[in-house]
């Protein structure tokens, strides 16, 4: 299939999907030989959906997210974000990326870090302001700490600043790579709830990588389970708990069954 | 301050270390503050006393080694000749500092954006740095004449290399993840330079500027050694040939004082500008 044909076919099906990935392969060519990180991966995320991603270490979760964000070149297949290529989507500021560590500028206060996306990349057109930076910091529970420098904030607070920064220009897709991986459980629970609330309030499409099975089951409407070497889709699991989800839900039998199922998928060799 | 200055010169290129020592020192202030300066002052006073006792006790003639009292006397009696020669040296050192560091910063920015330029010119910069400044000085005097120009250029040359090396390192010391974030935001190279690279290079730049703040004075003085009739450097030569040892010592002390003043100024400017912790990457 030629690139044009793939793009045309993608544009047809992508109308309903926020993210559509088809037959995606990513290979890395290193001196030591080439590694196939992802092979024939395909799935769709509907607009406003929340998809979590689980898989053994090194199976290509980060690579998949980075391919969608146009940070890694793809070797085969196609990715469409609202019917556009990743590069077009990036230039249109369709998505925001949240990394495992907050990646804040140490010399900028919390509020100025949140403003950063509004100050750069202007040549791609006017940037729509989602909400005032002050309001976003309040949304992530940091009112009163606007002028703190990153080293004066805790790890969890820094991560919340980076989430506020990701939301400041109304991204249509939020790509999160183990954003809460380095946090303690209590902070993580709190941020999980906050993230769900933000998701409900803003209608942003979210893809969320995690190593925690309960987190994946709690947050996701669907969970994409990958298998390793090379990275393939193991199963795209429907989770479908009733909204709004609460932390208490995690003690129900229904929830335990879902996590047990996800664990089995992760452990069982194919 | 004196102890910090030794420390800073020693570990000049190692920014993180410097920043930490200074900050810890400041954190401990409340208790240690009052007596912080006592040890170096006592040590210096003791050495002056020893110097005086040796000179007086062994009857060393003053044209070989003057006593501290005689040196202080020079400042009181021959102050005018010292100050007349002080201002040109100050001017040359400052001009050389500004020139050398500006060129180094601009070159570093160019190198970071143009790999070819870095590969082509970096080795040349290294080569120029290996030529002893004392050897270059006569050449520059031949080319640039006898005015301020050769002295300024020598002071600039001596500042240039440490700043170039540190600035290149500083501009590149941006985490790959920060660069990925900027790519997701479709930031241009220019925005990355102004918003990220220049800021994150500041601790590296100041480590180099602190070295340059003392070496630029050396550069100016060395420049004045060769066929000059003004400046602290020419005064040093003149005093030596005429066996005016007290004047020689006073001149040397004035030159050292100039370097210390530059260093302290640079440190104070750094403290005002770099308020964040350079060693932590968020
Ligand atoms: N830039 C790169 N160059 C070469 N190989 C790479 C590169 N990035 C990733 N890989 C390889 O691709 C594979 C997938 O890596 P990736 O980081 O996507 O895994 P992951 O699922 O995110 O793992 P983890 O859960 O540990 O974060 C690994 O084998 C890795 O070594
Ligand atoms: Mg990863």
């Amino acid at each position: 299939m030629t690139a044009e044909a793939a793009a045309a076919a993608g544009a047809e099906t992508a109308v309903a999907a926020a993210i559509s990935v088809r037959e995606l392969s990513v290979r890395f060519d290193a001196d030591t030989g080439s590694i196939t990180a992802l092979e024939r991966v395909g799935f769709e995320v509907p607009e406003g959906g929340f998809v979590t991603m689980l898989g053994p270490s090194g199976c290509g979760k980060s690579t998949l997210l980075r391919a969608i964000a146009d940070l890694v070149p793809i070797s085969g297949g196609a990715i469409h974000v609202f019917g556009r290529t990743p590069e077009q989507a990036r230039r249109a500021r369709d998505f925001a990326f949240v990394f495992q560590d907050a990646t804040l500028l140490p010399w900028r206060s919390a509020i100025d870090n949140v403003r950063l996306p509004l100050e750069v990349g202007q040549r791609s057109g006017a940037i729509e302001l989602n909400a005032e930076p002050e309001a976003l910091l309040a949304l992530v529970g940091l009112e009163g700490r606007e002028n703190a420098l990153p080293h004066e904030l805790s790890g969890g607070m820094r991560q919340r600043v980076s989430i506020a920064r990701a939301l400041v220009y109304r991204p249509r897709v939020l790509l999160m790579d183990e954003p809460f991986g380095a946090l303690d459980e209590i902070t993580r629970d709190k941020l999980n709830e906050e993230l769900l609330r933000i998701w409900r309030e803003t209608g942003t499409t979210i893809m969320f990588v995690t190593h925690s099975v309960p987190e994946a089951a709690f947050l996701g409407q669907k969970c994409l389970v990958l298998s390793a070497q090379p990275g393939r889709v193991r199963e795209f699991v429907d989770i479908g708990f009733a909204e709004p989800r609460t932390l208490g839900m995690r003690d129900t039998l229904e929830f335990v069954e879902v996590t047990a199922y996800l664990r089995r998928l992760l452990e069982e060799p194919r | 301050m004196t102890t910090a200055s030794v420390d800073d010169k020693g570990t000049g290129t190692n920014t993180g270390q410097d920043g930490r020592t200074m900050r810890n020192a400041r954190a401990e202030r409340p208790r240690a503050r009052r007596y912080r300066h006592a040890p170096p002052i006592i040590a210096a006073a003791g050495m002056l006393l020893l110097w005086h006792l040796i000179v007086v006790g062994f009857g060393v003639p003053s044209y070989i080694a003057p006593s501290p009292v005689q040196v202080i006397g020079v400042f009181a009696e021959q102050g005018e000749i010292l100050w007349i020669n002080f201002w040109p040296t100050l001017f040359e050192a400052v001009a050389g500092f500004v020139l050398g560091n500006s060129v180094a910063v601009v070159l570093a920015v160019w190198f970071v954006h143009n790999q070819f330029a870095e590969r082509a010119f970096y080795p040349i910069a290294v080569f120029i740095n290996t030529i002893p400044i004392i050897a270059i000085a006569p050449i520059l005097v031949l080319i640039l004449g006898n005015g301020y120009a050769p002295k300024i250029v020598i002071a600039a040359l001596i500042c240039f290399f440490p700043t170039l090396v540190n600035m290149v390192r500083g501009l590149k010391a941006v985490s790959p993840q920060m660069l990925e974030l900027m790519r997701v935001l479709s930031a241009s190279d220019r925005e990355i330079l102004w918003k990220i690279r220049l800021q994150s290079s500041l601790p590296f730049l100041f480590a180099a500027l602190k070295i340059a703040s003392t070496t630029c004075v050396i550069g100016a003085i060395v420049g004045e050694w060769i066929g000059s009739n003004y400046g602290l450097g020419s005064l040093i030569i003149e005093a030596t040939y005429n066996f005016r040892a007290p004047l020689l010592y006073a001149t040397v002390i004035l030159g050292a004082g100039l370097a210390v003043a530059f260093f302290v100024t640079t440190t104070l400017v750094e403290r005002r500008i770099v308020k964040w912790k350079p060693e932590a990457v968020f």
Side-chain angles (χ1 to χ4, degrees):
Chain A
M1 194 167 21
T2 64
E4 283 90 341
E12 275 165 36
T13 55
V15 178
I19 303 169
S20 109
V21 175
R22 292 188 305 112
E23 298 281 306
L24 172 70
S25 300
V26 175
R27 266 184 302 278
F28 291 108
D29 294 312
D31 300 338
T32 48
S34 84
I35 302 164
T36 305
L38 294 169
E39 196 173 73
R40 303 172 75 88
V41 170
F43 64 93
E44 281 193 356
V45 182
E47 179 159 12
F50 197 139
V51 170
T52 52
M53 215 194 295
L54 277 174
S57 182
C59 71
K61 303 180 294 296
S62 300
T63 305
L64 177 53
L65 227 49
R66 289 153 52 81
I68 295 170
D70 191 30
L71 293 172
V72 162
I74 66 177
S75 323
I79 301 174
H80 288 97
V81 181
F82 291 105
R84 290 189 266 212
T85 66
E87 193 190 342
Q88 291 166 337
R90 173 170 67 79
R91 297 209 175 276
R93 288 282 184 93
D94 273 350
F95 49 73
F97 208 109
V98 178
F99 299 95
Q100 177 163 6
D101 40 59
T103 323
L104 303 179
L105 295 174
W107 54 86
R108 283 185 172 227
S109 64
I111 192 83
D112 285 339
N113 266 293
V114 174
R115 286 197 185 108
L116 179 71
L118 307 175
E119 297 170 14
V120 299
Q122 298 285 358
R123 46 185 186 142
S124 43
I127 293 158
E128 196 186 347
L129 186 73
N130 183 12
E132 289 303 323
E134 289 82 2
L136 281 168
L137 278 182
L139 184 72
V140 296
L142 281 176
E143 57 265 90
R145 303 307 303 272
E146 289 86 358
N147 294 319
L149 289 174
H151 74 262
E152 297 163 339
L153 298 172
S154 74
M157 288 169 161
R158 288 204 286 271
Q159 197 53 280
R160 282 187 265 172
V161 174
S162 88
I163 291 170
R165 177 183 61 194
L167 293 172
V168 76
Y169 57 94
R170 194 188 286 280
R172 298 166 84 184
V173 177
L174 195 51
L175 303 170
M176 308 178 87
D177 192 355
E178 299 183 43
F180 308 140
L183 305 181
D184 67 279
E185 202 158 329
I186 295 169
T187 315
R188 181 188 269 231
D189 283 350
K190 243 184 89 191
L191 288 181
N192 279 346
E193 271 195 310
E194 272 177 30
L195 183 63
L196 277 181
R197 181 170 53 80
I198 291 167
W199 170 66
R200 277 192 298 269
E201 284 173 15
T202 58
T204 312
T205 309
I206 299 182
M207 279 203 79
F208 186 104
V209 174
T210 175
H211 273 138
S212 154
V213 173
E215 190 174 59
F218 176 63
L219 289 175
Q221 295 174 308
K222 293 184 98 180
C223 179
L224 185 70
V225 183
L226 296 183
S227 62
Q229 269 143 21
R232 289 206 183 92
V233 177
R234 180 81 168 84
E235 195 172 322
F236 198 17
V237 184
D238 253 311
I239 298 176
F241 291 120
E243 300 287 345
R245 284 163 277 174
T246 55
L247 285 172
M249 185 189 84
R250 294 180 306 176
D251 299 324
T252 62
L253 187 62
E254 202 189 352
F255 187 86
V256 175
E257 274 170 3
V258 169
T259 53
Y261 181 72
L262 291 176
R263 269 203 191 94
R264 257 202 319 281
L265 282 181
L266 285 174
E267 282 158 13
E268 263 175 25
R270 234 193 308 199
Chain B
M1 206 59 260
T2 1
T3 46
S5 93
V6 171
D7 195 8
D8 270 310
K9 273 167 82 175
T11 56
T13 46
N14 197 343
T15 331
Q17 291 286 324
D18 292 355
R20 222 167 300 149
T21 0
M22 295 262 224
R23 246 164 276 273
N24 284 348
R26 252 185 296 165
E28 286 160 15
R29 230 177 217 180
R31 236 185 95 242
R33 184 173 199 172
R34 278 179 70 183
Y35 304 107
R36 200 161 59 112
H37 297 300
I41 288 174
I42 293 170
M47 280 163 72
L48 282 177
L49 185 66
L50 188 66
W51 171 15
H52 183 75
L53 291 178
I54 290 174
V55 169
V56 173
F58 291 94
V60 181
S62 84
Y63 59 85
I64 290 177
S67 81
V69 177
Q70 285 171 306
V71 175
I72 292 166
V74 173
F75 279 102
E77 292 150 26
Q78 294 167 277
E80 192 157 348
I81 185 175
L82 284 173
W83 291 117
I84 285 174
N85 289 292
F86 173 79
W87 299 115
T89 307
L90 172 73
F91 169 71
E92 292 155 4
V94 170
F97 181 85
V98 171
L99 179 70
N101 289 310
S102 310
V103 173
V105 167
V106 170
L107 267 190
V109 169
W110 189 38
F111 283 2
V112 168
H113 287 93
N114 187 334
Q115 280 216 343
F116 177 80
E118 179 171 9
R119 279 212 305 271
F121 291 107
Y122 210 99
I124 297 178
V126 173
F127 172 72
I128 290 176
N129 182 54
T130 58
I131 306 175
I133 207 76
I134 310 257
I136 302 183
I139 299 174
L140 287 172
V141 172
L142 283 184
I143 297 173
L144 297 170
N146 217 358
Y148 284 126
K151 288 100 179 174
I152 292 172
V153 171
I154 291 165
L157 263 181
I158 218 168
C159 296
F160 169 77
F161 193 74
T163 305
L164 177 71
V165 173
N166 265 19
M167 194 65 191
V168 167
R169 261 187 52 189
L171 289 170
K172 286 182 177 172
V174 175
S175 77
Q177 203 154 91
M178 185 47 84
L179 292 177
E180 288 197 332
L181 176 74
M182 296 306 276
R183 183 173 157 86
V184 169
L185 296 173
S186 300
S188 64
D189 278 353
R190 175 183 290 198
E191 284 166 339
I192 293 173
L193 174 68
W194 285 105
K195 304 265 176 200
I196 316 282
R197 289 194 190 278
L198 284 178
Q199 292 268 14
S200 66
S201 72
L202 282 181
F204 293 82
L205 175 64
F206 272 106
L209 290 187
K210 280 190 245 170
I211 301 172
S213 68
T214 54
T215 54
C216 69
V217 178
I218 299 176
I221 288 177
V222 167
E224 288 161 349
W225 279 355
I226 297 151
S228 174
N229 45 20
Y230 59 82
L232 295 180
S234 97
L235 197 56
I236 286 173
I237 300 288
E238 206 183 293
T240 308
Y241 286 146
N242 296 327
F243 294 101
R244 292 166 72 182
L247 180 63
L248 173 64
Y249 277 59
T251 312
V252 169
I253 287 169
L254 197 57
L258 181 61
V260 169
F262 274 166
F263 182 85
V264 171
T265 311
T266 313
T267 307
L268 292 179
V269 171
E270 179 187 25
R271 276 193 203 163
R272 280 201 70 111
I273 292 180
V274 185
K275 294 222 167 81
W276 43 283
K277 292 196 172 177
E279 68 271 25
V281 177
F282 296 107

